[in-house]
Amino acid sequence: MRQQIIMDVDTGIDDSLALLYLLASPEADIVGIAATAGNVPAPRVAANNLAWLDVCRAPDIEVALGAAEPLAIPLRTTEDTHGPHGVGYAELPESARSLSHRSAAQMWVELVRERPGQIVGLCTGPLTNLALALRGEPELPRLLQRLVIMGGAFNHPGNTTPTNEWNVHVDPEAAKEVFDAFSAAPPDRRPIVCALDVTETIEMYPVHLALLAERAGSLPVEQVSDTDSPEARSGTSNPIVRHLTDAVRFYFDFHRTYDQGYLAHMHDPFAAAIALDPVLAATRPATVDVELIGTLTRATTVADWAGMWGREPNADIVIGTDPAAFFERMITRIGDFARAVYPPTTPEDA
Ligand code: RIB
Ligand code: CA
């Protein structure tokens, strides 16, 4: 039985890899993609997902446009992190596929009502549209099979302010409404939260791109380097590998610019892997809330691990995983998928 998944994304370089990971996983059945404003505006997020579906020669999958702005504050985007169009240096051909006629929030609500207990929700962007869906359907936490969230930082510095993680920073009101809504969820329905504490251990390096190209039978196998010019573009034969390489190289440049090394944190594909296989991570229950009025700390996620607030846990926070095992899994899946979609043309290519 394939696992039905709603993706709620702000694509985004690592959101792109989350989509590729799920498209490459036979056990995943993406039943809808919600385009949430975050890394780039929502229409751009939607266009990026439609374009990736074309590149991957994927079947029709509903892509629904989310709200233009967060619940209570103006939208902040981050093209300096994800590139002018949100996919780094990649130049994805615009897709002729159509957007869904319904909004992202309507799609959430109608899908979980139609398929109660069958869908895993995966949020790798701000929680704006999930919060809007919860306002429309308060039963959503019980209608979802499970929710996986990439977001927050607990015993770990923020990546947007000293204590904020980007997805929560963009729409802290939405994040608070989501965690509050899951306060009454039974233990097996608590959101699994992939925060920076663990996702910043998922470090992608150029060698991973080379291994992926090799697995896909894509030639040449390029050695992406920090000496590459920003104008450099991949020339490898497999289109999925080529566009992925151009996307991720921008993320490498961004992390180096901020003294994190020539690497890229793969927050979102890690969360996608957890959505399909929660056993890949160790988790610990906690009560999570979001600071909304702190002068220095607004949008900070706070975890009460010890019941000091006297409130039931509303989250299972990921506290450990094996990054090497994740990359082995991601490279195998996406590499094999890329090879299957674009088989090497000659024996020498194989
Ligand atoms: O903080 C990392 C998260 O913010 C990732 O989901 C990235 O894509 C951005 O949305
Ligand atoms: Ca994201």
Side-chain angles (χ1 to χ4, degrees):
M1 191 71 171
R2 298 173 70 201
Q3 177 58 65
Q4 298 178 60
I5 293 186
I6 290 175
M7 296 185 78
D8 192 322
V9 297
D10 66 334
T11 310
I13 295 168
D14 56 333
D15 304 77
S16 301
L17 271 89
L19 176 62
L20 292 178
Y21 183 93
L22 293 180
L23 288 173
S25 299
E27 72 271 36
D29 175 15
I30 304 171
V31 295
I33 299 173
T36 289
N39 290 325
V40 290
R44 185 71 249 163
V45 172
N48 287 342
N49 281 278
L50 294 171
W52 276 117
L53 292 175
D54 274 358
V55 168
C56 295
R57 293 175 172 164
D60 281 346
I61 294 175
E62 182 178 6
V63 177
L65 187 62
E69 301 279 331
L71 297 187
I73 55 178
L75 174 62
R76 176 184 172 190
T77 57
T78 182
E79 286 79 0
D80 64 322
T81 308
H82 288 266
H85 302 302
V87 284
Y89 297 120
E91 291 151 23
L92 303 177
E94 286 297 309
S95 171
R97 295 178 188 228
S98 305
L99 266 180
S100 171
H101 64 281
R102 54 190 176 179
S103 73
Q106 283 171 315
M107 182 185 76
W108 268 106
V109 170
E110 291 166 12
L111 282 176
V112 298
R113 284 176 177 161
E114 282 161 24
R115 309 163 188 226
Q118 300 167 48
I119 295 175
V120 168
L122 168 64
C123 294
T124 64
L127 295 169
T128 310
N129 295 295
L130 179 54
L132 291 171
L134 282 159
R135 289 178 177 178
E137 177 49 89
E139 282 303 300
L140 191 147
R142 276 157 295 286
L143 292 170
L144 263 186
Q145 182 187 121
R146 200 74 193 260
L147 178 65
V148 177
I149 295 170
M150 191 280 130
F154 296 102
N155 304 319
H156 193 86
N159 62 0
T160 307
T161 73
T163 61
N164 283 187
E165 177 279 323
W166 170 260
N167 290 333
V168 175
H169 176 86
V170 167
D171 196 341
E173 278 74 14
K176 177 171 178 56
E177 288 192 21
V178 169
F179 283 109
D180 287 352
F182 278 82
S183 294
D188 64 350
R189 297 284 172 98
R190 286 197 289 251
I192 300 173
V193 181
C194 303
L196 295 183
D197 307 55
V198 173
T199 64
E200 287 196 346
T201 69
I202 311 296
E203 297 178 336
M204 188 169 193
Y205 290 91
V207 65
H208 292 122
L209 281 178
L211 290 169
L212 206 154
E214 270 171 22
R215 185 84 190 198
S218 187
L219 289 177
V221 173
E222 297 163 328
Q223 302 301 328
V224 167
S225 153
D226 60 0
T227 59
D228 289 347
S229 147
E231 282 67 50
R233 292 294 178 270
S234 170
T236 198
S237 57
N238 185 292
I240 293 173
V241 179
R242 187 163 64 247
H243 290 307
L244 172 59
T245 298
D246 287 340
V248 172
R249 204 164 56 73
F250 189 99
Y251 222 17
F252 286 153
D253 285 345
F254 170 80
H255 286 76
R256 179 187 52 180
T257 302
Y258 287 88
D259 301 323
Q260 299 185 62
Y262 196 64
L263 57 87
H265 294 137
M266 283 294 139
H267 313 277
D268 296 345
F270 174 72
I274 298 305
L276 282 184
D277 297 288
V279 298
L280 292 172
T283 62
R284 190 173 155 206
T287 306
V288 172
D289 206 332
V290 182
E291 176 59 61
L292 295 182
I293 55 177
T295 307
L296 298 175
T297 57
R298 173 172 156 79
T300 299
T301 48
V302 182
D304 174 10
W305 305 94
M308 296 175 180
W309 293 335
R311 292 159 52 184
E312 285 301 306
N314 61 351
D316 286 333
I317 298 175
V318 172
I319 55 169
T321 194
D322 177 352
F326 163 74
F327 279 108
E328 166 70 27
R329 202 179 189 90
M330 186 180 85
I331 290 164
T332 302
R333 289 178 182 227
I334 297 180
D336 288 351
F337 173 70
R339 177 187 286 265
V341 176
Y342 298 97
T345 48
T346 61
E348 295 71 48
D349 282 352

Short mmCIF file of all heavy atoms in Angstrom, two decimals, residues 10 14-15 39 82 124 150 159 165-167 196 251 267-268, ligand 1:
data_model
loop_
_atom_site.label_atom_id
_atom_site.label_comp_id
_atom_site.label_asym_id
_atom_site.label_seq_id
_atom_site.Cartn_x
_atom_site.Cartn_y
_atom_site.Cartn_z
N ASP A 10 7.85 25.43 0.25
CA ASP A 10 8.15 26.79 -0.22
C ASP A 10 9.36 26.73 -1.16
O ASP A 10 10.34 27.47 -1.04
CB ASP A 10 8.37 27.77 0.94
CG ASP A 10 9.63 27.47 1.77
OD1 ASP A 10 10.07 26.31 1.81
OD2 ASP A 10 10.16 28.43 2.36
N ASP A 14 16.14 22.97 -1.22
CA ASP A 14 15.99 21.70 -0.51
C ASP A 14 14.57 21.16 -0.60
O ASP A 14 14.36 19.93 -0.58
CB ASP A 14 16.49 21.79 0.94
CG ASP A 14 15.83 22.88 1.74
OD1 ASP A 14 15.38 23.89 1.17
OD2 ASP A 14 15.77 22.73 2.98
N ASP A 15 13.58 22.05 -0.76
CA ASP A 15 12.21 21.57 -1.03
C ASP A 15 12.21 20.79 -2.36
O ASP A 15 11.51 19.79 -2.51
CB ASP A 15 11.24 22.74 -1.18
CG ASP A 15 11.21 23.66 0.03
OD1 ASP A 15 12.14 24.46 0.17
OD2 ASP A 15 10.26 23.57 0.82
N ASN A 39 10.43 30.91 0.94
CA ASN A 39 11.71 31.20 0.26
C ASN A 39 11.49 32.19 -0.89
O ASN A 39 12.30 33.08 -1.13
CB ASN A 39 12.31 29.92 -0.29
CG ASN A 39 12.82 28.98 0.80
OD1 ASN A 39 13.32 29.44 1.83
ND2 ASN A 39 12.66 27.68 0.61
N HIS A 82 18.07 31.03 -1.83
CA HIS A 82 17.58 30.00 -2.76
C HIS A 82 17.63 30.43 -4.22
O HIS A 82 17.19 29.66 -5.09
CB HIS A 82 16.16 29.59 -2.37
CG HIS A 82 16.13 28.78 -1.10
ND1 HIS A 82 16.15 27.40 -1.08
CD2 HIS A 82 16.12 29.15 0.19
CE1 HIS A 82 16.15 26.98 0.17
NE2 HIS A 82 16.14 28.02 0.97
N THR A 124 7.36 21.58 4.66
CA THR A 124 8.77 21.99 4.60
C THR A 124 8.90 23.49 4.34
O THR A 124 9.96 23.96 3.91
CB THR A 124 9.52 21.22 3.49
OG1 THR A 124 8.94 21.57 2.22
CG2 THR A 124 9.44 19.72 3.71
N MET A 150 9.18 20.26 8.98
CA MET A 150 10.56 20.76 9.03
C MET A 150 10.43 22.18 9.55
O MET A 150 9.87 23.04 8.86
CB MET A 150 11.24 20.76 7.65
CG MET A 150 12.74 21.02 7.75
SD MET A 150 13.11 22.78 7.95
CE MET A 150 14.23 22.71 9.37
N ASN A 159 18.67 29.99 12.29
CA ASN A 159 19.38 30.30 11.04
C ASN A 159 18.88 31.60 10.42
O ASN A 159 19.31 31.99 9.33
CB ASN A 159 19.25 29.14 10.04
CG ASN A 159 17.81 28.86 9.62
OD1 ASN A 159 16.89 29.54 10.08
ND2 ASN A 159 17.61 27.87 8.78
N GLU A 165 14.18 29.83 13.42
CA GLU A 165 14.39 29.04 12.20
C GLU A 165 13.49 29.67 11.12
O GLU A 165 12.38 30.14 11.41
CB GLU A 165 13.99 27.58 12.48
CG GLU A 165 14.08 26.64 11.29
CD GLU A 165 12.86 26.75 10.38
OE1 GLU A 165 11.75 26.94 10.92
OE2 GLU A 165 13.02 26.70 9.16
N TRP A 166 13.91 29.63 9.85
CA TRP A 166 13.25 30.37 8.77
C TRP A 166 11.75 30.10 8.65
O TRP A 166 10.95 31.02 8.62
CB TRP A 166 13.95 30.08 7.43
CG TRP A 166 13.20 30.61 6.25
CD1 TRP A 166 12.39 29.92 5.40
CD2 TRP A 166 13.15 31.98 5.81
NE1 TRP A 166 11.85 30.76 4.46
CE2 TRP A 166 12.30 32.03 4.68
CE3 TRP A 166 13.74 33.17 6.25
CZ2 TRP A 166 12.03 33.21 3.99
CZ3 TRP A 166 13.46 34.36 5.57
CH2 TRP A 166 12.62 34.37 4.45
N ASN A 167 11.33 28.84 8.56
CA ASN A 167 9.92 28.56 8.30
C ASN A 167 9.01 29.15 9.37
O ASN A 167 7.94 29.67 9.09
CB ASN A 167 9.68 27.04 8.19
CG ASN A 167 10.28 26.45 6.92
OD1 ASN A 167 10.43 27.15 5.92
ND2 ASN A 167 10.66 25.19 6.97
N LEU A 196 16.21 22.40 13.32
CA LEU A 196 17.60 22.62 12.91
C LEU A 196 18.58 21.77 13.74
O LEU A 196 19.66 21.40 13.25
CB LEU A 196 17.97 24.10 13.06
CG LEU A 196 17.24 25.10 12.18
CD1 LEU A 196 17.80 26.51 12.43
CD2 LEU A 196 17.35 24.74 10.70
N TYR A 251 23.23 26.67 -3.33
CA TYR A 251 23.11 26.45 -1.86
C TYR A 251 24.50 26.27 -1.25
O TYR A 251 24.78 26.77 -0.17
CB TYR A 251 22.26 25.20 -1.64
CG TYR A 251 21.23 25.26 -0.53
CD1 TYR A 251 20.79 26.46 0.04
CD2 TYR A 251 20.64 24.09 -0.06
CE1 TYR A 251 19.83 26.48 1.04
CE2 TYR A 251 19.67 24.10 0.94
CZ TYR A 251 19.27 25.29 1.48
OH TYR A 251 18.30 25.30 2.49
N HIS A 267 17.66 20.08 4.84
CA HIS A 267 16.55 20.06 5.80
C HIS A 267 15.34 19.29 5.24
O HIS A 267 14.81 18.40 5.91
CB HIS A 267 16.09 21.50 6.08
CG HIS A 267 17.15 22.47 6.38
ND1 HIS A 267 17.73 22.63 7.63
CD2 HIS A 267 17.76 23.39 5.58
CE1 HIS A 267 18.64 23.59 7.59
NE2 HIS A 267 18.68 24.07 6.38
N ASP A 268 14.90 19.64 4.05
CA ASP A 268 13.60 19.19 3.57
C ASP A 268 13.59 17.75 3.06
O ASP A 268 12.65 17.00 3.37
CB ASP A 268 13.08 20.14 2.49
CG ASP A 268 12.83 21.55 3.06
OD1 ASP A 268 12.79 21.69 4.29
OD2 ASP A 268 12.68 22.48 2.25
O1 RIB B 1 15.23 26.68 7.88
C1 RIB B 1 15.29 25.80 6.80
C2 RIB B 1 13.99 25.76 6.08
O2 RIB B 1 13.69 27.06 5.58
C3 RIB B 1 14.01 24.85 4.85
O3 RIB B 1 12.73 24.30 4.68
C4 RIB B 1 14.33 25.79 3.72
O4 RIB B 1 13.79 25.36 2.47
C5 RIB B 1 13.58 27.03 4.15
O5 RIB B 1 12.21 26.87 3.80
#
